[in-house]
Each structure stands twice: as C-alpha cells, then as structure tokens.
Amino acid sequence: MILSPRSDTDWMQAAIALALRGRALSSPNPSVGCILVRDGRVVGRGWTMRGGRPHGEAMALAAAGDAARGATAYVTLEPCAHDSERGPACADLLIAAGVARVVIGTQDPDPRTNGAGIARLEAAGITVQSGVAEASARASLSGFITRQTLGRPFVTLKLATSLDGQIALADGSSQWITGEQARAHTHVERAHHDAILVGGGTYRADAPRLDVRLAGLETRSPRRVLLSRMGDAPAGWTALASPHDIASLAGVGWLMVEGGAETAAAFLAIDSVDRLLLYRAPVLIGRGKAALGDIGLGNLVDAHGRWRLDNTRLLGNDRMESYQRIR
Amino acid sequence: MILSPRSDTDWMQAAIALALRGRALSSPNPSVGCILVRDGRVVGRGWTMRGGRPHGEAMALAAAGDAARGATAYVTLEPCAHDSERGPACADLLIAAGVARVVIGTQDPDPRTNGAGIARLEAAGITVQSGVAEASARASLSGFITRQTLGRPFVTLKLATSLDGQIALADGSSQWITGEQARAHTHVERAHHDAILVGGGTYRADAPRLDVRLAGLETRSPRRVLLSRMGDAPAGWTALASPHDIASLAGVGWLMVEGGAETAAAFLAIDSVDRLLLYRAPVLIGRGKAALGDIGLGNLVDAHGRWRLDNTRLLGNDRMESYQRIR
C-alpha cells in the first residue's frame, strides 16, 4: 500500500503505538517499537517480544528481508550496542541489513548502550537522528527509564471517585461508583502493568482478584503485591513492607497502586507516584470515604505545579483523566 | 451587513446569548432575548432591561422601527399577553409592528400568559413556531421557570476543590486552591445571580464579601444571604433559617450557594440543588476538609442518574464543570 507522505514524527508515533503491544509483556526489558520505511512504504514492523526477545528491530528486519536495504528505521529507543547470549546487538543488525537512516525516539539510559548505539551506527555511515517525538517515546518507556534513572518502578496511582472525591460510602460500599466502560478501561491498564499493589485494608475488605477480566487478555494479569508491614502475604501474592521498598520488586517496571486511601497517601507522601489515573463518576456521595489519607501537605503553595493532565477520555458517563507528575 | 443563511436554531441561540445580558438584572422578571430578522438581516435586537422593563421585544421593535414589518421575531420566551401599568403586552406590540412570523424558545409558564401570547399572535394571522432550541432557552430562563414551577429559586451549588475533592487543608486554609482565572469566572457567575448564600461557618471563618470584583461589573453584586438557624444576620445580609425556606427570598430567581460543606450538603439532602458548578485544580490535598457533609445517601444506586455535564472549560490550570440536575 502506498501511503501519503508522512513526517518523521508521524512514523515515530506509529512505532510508539506498536511498542504498546509489548508493554509489560517484555519486562524486564523495555518494549521498543520499530518501523522500517522505504520509499514511503512500510517494509517491516516489530516490537519487543515476551520476556524481552527478540527486540523490535530484529523482528522488523526479519519481516523486511532485503527490502530493509536503503530503508529508514524508526525506533522508539536507541538500538542496543551490547551483544548478549540471546542475540546480537541491534545496532549491528541494522548495519548489516543496510538501512540508510535511523530515527530514534530517545537515547538509551542503560549504561551498556547510552550513546554507543548511535555512535556505532554513525561510524558505519548511517544517518542518525535522535529525539523525535521524544516526550511520547519516553512516556512509552517510563517503566524502563524510571528503573534506570530513579532505581524504582514507574508508579501509577489509580483512583475511582465521585465528583466530590469519595471512593466509597461511609459503610465502605463502593460497588459501583464508576460504570462498566471505566472498569473495562482499568482492566486494560492492568494488562499494561507488571504488578498491582494494594494495602492490607483493601485486601481484607475486598480480597481483590486484580486480574485482567477481558477476553484475550486473561494471560496478561499482573503480579499481585500486598503492602504489609509484617511482610507476610497470602499464596500468589508478593509482600512489600513499605512503599520505600518498591525498588526491590524484581522485574517490575510498571507498578499500579490500586488502593486504598492510606496506601495511596503513603506513596504520595514520599513522592513516589509518577502518574495519577482518575476515573470520576457524575455522582455525589457526601460524607463517605475520602480518596486519600494524609499526604503530609503543610501548605497549599506546595500542592501546585506538580501534576499535568496528559490524557482524558469519556467512558460511558464517567471521565478518565491521566495526570503526569512534573519533575 | 448581509449574513449567510442561518437556521431558526442559530437565531434562537443568538437571542439566548442576548438574554444573558439581562440575567439577574431583570429580576424578578425573566431576562428575555429578542432578535428581529428580515431578509436574512438583523433589524432589531433587545433584552429585558434592569428591573424587568422594557421587555426584550419592545426594545427590539423600537430599534427596528418600520423595518419590523414582515420580519421574523426570535424570542426566547413566549411574548406576554398581559397589559401592565408598565407597558402594553408584547404580543400586541408585535402585532402592531406587523411582524410576519414569531419563533419562540419556550412557552411562558406564567398563568397570565401560558399559551395566551401564542393564541393572540395566531389570531392576528402571524405564523408562530414554539419550542425552538427549547432546552437552551429553558436553561437561560431557569431562574424564572423554577420559581413558576417549583415555587423556589433555581439553585447553583459552587464548589472549588482539589482533584481529591477537598476544599481546604485540615487547618482550614483554602487560599488558593484554584487560580485567578477560575476565581474571575466565579465573579462573572456571581453577577448572573440574584443572591449568594453561605453558612455560618463560612461566614465566621472568612467573612466573605461575595461581591463581584470585576471592572465594570461592581454594581452587579448580588444580595448576600446567611443561613442562620437563629434567623439573625449582620447588616447588609439577609438571614435564612433553613434551606427549606428559600422560596421566601423575594425576587430571587437565581441563587448561588457558596459554602461550606455542611451548607452544601443541607441543600443536596433536600434535593434543592439544580446545578453544580465545580472548579477543580490539578492539586492533591489528602486529609483536609471534604467538599460535602452528609447528604443522606444510603445506597450507591441512588446516586446515579442525577447529574449531567452540560458545560466544561479549562480556566488556566483549573477545569470548570457545570452539571445539571436531571429531573
């Protein structure tokens, strides 16, 4: 199919969309999207496979075969420069395939690559451009980049509230504040996370399954983590003694915190929430259970400038809002 | 100026926009907008003047003069059929001016007119069409229609909250959650209300001025009402013993409730809130002061189906949302 001319940014956004297919599945490796384009035609596409291999570039090059020669490769993350027992470095694969140009979303913070992939490509005479649609590319790689830069998972805090910020009636009932579409959206979000964490109160009150109840995605249910000061957890759960310890969750790049109010507040109090995922139903509850416990805010001035809306969507009668922590 | 062809609905929306100019100023009369159109040209415009006279139709006809002959009159409310010492009935004025067609937003629930205006126009050979852009027309007349149908003012509840539904820190500080643009928007809303009500707690804590602090609108500051069980109020304020008594606020069609949480809850508990006006800042507060006290909700099922978003707007970093009570 001949496509109308697209910009580098358009192609990069398409590569980012591809990368989403491998999100959380590819952990602990990042899910990287790759599109090979020659003469305005897509000749190969790939994204990181389950467990991290093959990489998106290898998959796209295998699909393209000889058509990769002279093509432009759009890759969301700098191609790796390190050989591993699981396969050759992607930079070398791109060189061997004869691609003419490599367009990169963002540089790889992994010290084994960090610029070395770009250097190797350029040394082979390939034109390299980095930083295209970089904010979007980085957002798609947050689980990996936050691990590399802050040494811990990227944390999404999910809250489902009434218009007045309540998550339940005073008697604890919360089924249902939001509707079916919002709940289905939560299940898709779960499939994009490596692990989901709840506090002891939520565990005891709801004994939540926290699985992905969507046809075709059942196998994408994330690990379940219980915040438990005593460090004990039931079978099938991982215990975590404190929000300070999330770095110890091996292989977890994307962590979703699902409740309740005290657990959510504990993560906010130590500034370990990177994204707020809010579902808001057009209902009023009045005196019920507030979404958050004490987050340690002493002055309103300190509350400002921390959150930026990056996505919003109507789901039935409810509104989804996603806010990113401004750092 | 020759305009491109517009539909009856377009013209009615323009008449509704005109009516907003007189909102609250015209009380206890409704503010009615009127546009006279001949051959696609506007030949006269009017809206209800301060204190209720002249009516919008009279103003538009005076502006049009002879050009009204053969024109179509777009009027947000059915033209009145009752003479008063303050002027002749608008139905008679339209007949005398020779308009050919009258398009009406909604019928007048006032028993002195209620269909009689339409009947008189039709008896004079004028083509009448009623119910054009009716929902918008009725919304613009809510202060009047609610008085006529429910015997009380139309009540807007204003809340300014954090993302987690708090209106202040635990120590009571609330300056500022929302930013300048949201606060300016509140002042415009105040100018569109006949009276603003607060509870004793808010009065004692803030001694609010509740005036309109916008250049050119200072004279549009509404009456101040204090909810006070003892029935006492300081100079310049009207005392109201209970939310059940709002019908007694003479001449008040548009009432805004500005706080605090217990006062807001008291109005919601007796289902006397017709519109929610929410300002939401992208901040988190945690354990603070919740927006609402007990509204008497016993079951989540009862919370649904009551509120419909009818307007939303970004004001600086804050989001304004307006919800109408579905009745």
Side-chain angles (χ1 to χ4, degrees):
Chain A
M1 187 178 69
I2 307 288
L3 297 168
S4 55
R6 306 218 175 162
S7 70
D8 283 349
T9 302
D10 292 338
W11 288 119
M12 185 59 69
Q13 293 290 2
I16 291 168
L18 275 182
L20 185 62
R21 302 187 182 188
R23 183 171 149 174
L25 281 176
S26 68
S27 294
N29 283 29
S31 180
V32 175
C34 176
I35 295 184
L36 293 164
V37 178
R38 202 174 69 174
D39 303 329
R41 287 176 62 204
V42 174
V43 294
R45 303 183 312 160
W47 58 94
T48 315
M49 291 285 100
R50 189 180 283 265
R53 292 280 173 163
H55 282 183
E57 298 95 319
M59 181 176 164
L61 289 169
D66 286 345
R69 195 156 300 277
T72 295
Y74 294 89
V75 197
T76 58
L77 182 68
E78 179 186 2
C80 64
H82 52 281
D83 289 315
S84 102
E85 58 195 25
R86 300 170 70 194
C90 289
D92 293 330
L93 290 177
L94 290 161
I95 293 166
V99 305
R101 182 166 169 256
V102 176
V103 179
I104 294 168
T106 193
Q107 201 167 316
D108 188 350
D110 185 330
R112 293 174 300 176
T113 294
N114 200 356
I118 292 173
R120 196 176 300 178
L121 292 168
E122 286 180 336
I126 294 175
T127 305
V128 179
Q129 188 175 355
S130 187
V132 171
E134 185 156 17
S136 299
R138 289 183 72 85
S140 76
L141 293 158
S142 293
F144 173 71
I145 291 174
T146 307
R147 267 276 176 207
Q148 294 286 330
T149 55
L150 300 181
R152 60 161 178 81
F154 180 88
V155 177
T156 294
L157 171 62
K158 173 227 155 188
L159 299 171
T161 76
S162 61
L163 294 178
D164 54 327
Q166 306 292 300
I167 55 172
L169 300 199
D171 67 7
S173 55
S174 61
Q175 290 186 4
W176 294 108
I177 293 175
T178 52
E180 257 183 63
Q181 292 185 41
R183 298 204 301 277
H185 191 274
T186 298
H187 284 248
V188 174
E189 284 280 345
R190 283 180 180 168
H192 288 150
H193 282 79
D194 297 306
I196 301 183
L197 180 148
V198 298
T202 298
Y203 178 79
R204 284 184 297 273
D206 297 344
R209 288 160 58 193
L210 303 181
D211 52 358
V212 177
R213 272 158 274 168
L214 292 173
L217 290 177
E218 300 87 347
T219 61
R220 309 236 351 214
S221 293
R223 284 167 58 185
R224 296 180 293 183
V225 180
L226 179 61
L227 192 66
S228 154
R229 223 166 286 160
M230 308 300 291
D232 52 340
W237 289 70
T238 301
L240 194 77
S242 157
H244 287 284
D245 299 339
I246 48 174
S248 71
L249 293 169
V252 175
W254 303 96
L255 175 66
M256 183 144 96
V257 174
E258 281 216 35
E262 296 307 325
T263 299
F267 276 86
L268 288 164
I270 62 170
D271 198 14
S272 287
V273 176
D274 304 296
R275 177 179 173 234
L276 297 175
L277 174 61
L278 307 182
Y279 299 95
R280 232 165 123 245
V283 304
L284 294 174
I285 287 180
R287 187 164 292 143
K289 295 205 181 298
L292 299 176
D294 186 3
I295 65 171
L297 181 69
N299 193 314
L300 265 175
V301 171
D302 302 328
H304 288 277
R306 297 172 80 88
W307 301 102
R308 183 184 57 240
L309 184 73
D310 75 330
N311 195 11
T312 179
R313 198 174 145 186
L314 200 60
L315 298 164
N317 291 323
D318 308 319
R319 179 155 288 280
M320 180 280 291
E321 293 178 335
S322 169
Y323 291 85
Q324 295 280 341
R325 176 75 173 90
I326 302 164
R327 296 197 191 272
Chain B
M1 186 178 68
I2 307 289
L3 296 168
S4 55
R6 306 220 176 164
S7 70
D8 283 349
T9 302
D10 292 338
W11 288 120
M12 185 60 69
Q13 293 291 1
I16 291 168
L18 274 182
L20 185 61
R21 301 187 183 189
R23 183 171 149 173
L25 280 177
S26 67
S27 293
N29 284 29
S31 180
V32 175
C34 177
I35 295 185
L36 293 164
V37 178
R38 201 173 71 173
D39 303 329
R41 287 176 60 203
V42 174
V43 294
R45 303 182 311 160
W47 58 95
T48 315
M49 292 284 100
R50 189 181 283 264
R53 293 279 174 166
H55 283 184
E57 298 94 320
M59 181 176 164
L61 290 168
D66 287 344
R69 195 156 302 276
T72 295
Y74 294 89
V75 197
T76 58
L77 182 68
E78 179 185 2
C80 64
H82 52 280
D83 289 315
S84 102
E85 59 195 22
R86 300 170 71 194
C90 289
D92 294 330
L93 289 178
L94 289 162
I95 293 165
V99 304
R101 181 167 169 255
V102 176
V103 179
I104 294 168
T106 192
Q107 202 166 315
D108 188 351
D110 185 329
R112 294 174 299 176
T113 293
N114 199 358
I118 292 173
R120 195 176 301 176
L121 293 168
E122 286 180 337
I126 294 176
T127 305
V128 179
Q129 188 175 356
S130 186
V132 171
E134 185 156 18
S136 299
R138 290 184 71 84
S140 78
L141 292 158
S142 293
F144 173 71
I145 291 175
T146 307
R147 266 277 175 208
Q148 293 286 330
T149 55
L150 300 181
R152 61 161 178 80
F154 180 88
V155 178
T156 294
L157 170 62
K158 173 228 154 187
L159 299 170
T161 76
S162 61
L163 293 179
D164 54 327
Q166 305 293 299
I167 56 172
L169 300 199
D171 67 7
S173 56
S174 61
Q175 289 185 5
W176 295 108
I177 292 175
T178 51
E180 257 184 64
Q181 292 186 43
R183 299 204 302 276
H185 191 274
T186 297
H187 283 248
V188 173
E189 284 280 345
R190 283 181 181 168
H192 288 150
H193 282 80
D194 297 306
I196 301 183
L197 179 149
V198 298
T202 298
Y203 178 79
R204 285 185 296 274
D206 298 345
R209 290 160 57 193
L210 303 182
D211 52 357
V212 177
R213 273 159 272 168
L214 293 173
L217 290 177
E218 299 88 347
T219 61
R220 311 247 334 225
S221 293
R223 285 168 56 186
R224 297 180 293 183
V225 180
L226 178 62
L227 191 65
S228 153
R229 223 165 285 161
M230 308 301 291
D232 52 340
W237 289 69
T238 300
L240 195 77
S242 156
H244 287 284
D245 299 339
I246 49 173
S248 71
L249 294 170
V252 175
W254 302 96
L255 176 66
M256 182 143 96
V257 175
E258 281 215 34
E262 296 307 325
T263 299
F267 276 86
L268 288 164
I270 62 170
D271 198 14
S272 287
V273 176
D274 304 296
R275 177 179 174 234
L276 297 176
L277 175 60
L278 306 183
Y279 299 94
R280 229 164 126 247
V283 304
L284 294 174
I285 287 181
R287 186 164 294 142
K289 294 205 181 299
L292 298 177
D294 187 3
I295 65 170
L297 182 69
N299 192 315
L300 265 174
V301 171
D302 302 328
H304 289 277
R306 297 172 80 88
W307 301 103
R308 184 185 55 240
L309 184 74
D310 75 331
N311 195 10
T312 179
R313 199 174 144 185
L314 200 59
L315 298 164
N317 291 323
D318 308 320
R319 180 154 287 281
M320 181 280 290
E321 292 177 336
S322 169
Y323 292 84
Q324 295 281 340
R325 176 74 172 91
I326 301 164
R327 296 196 190 272

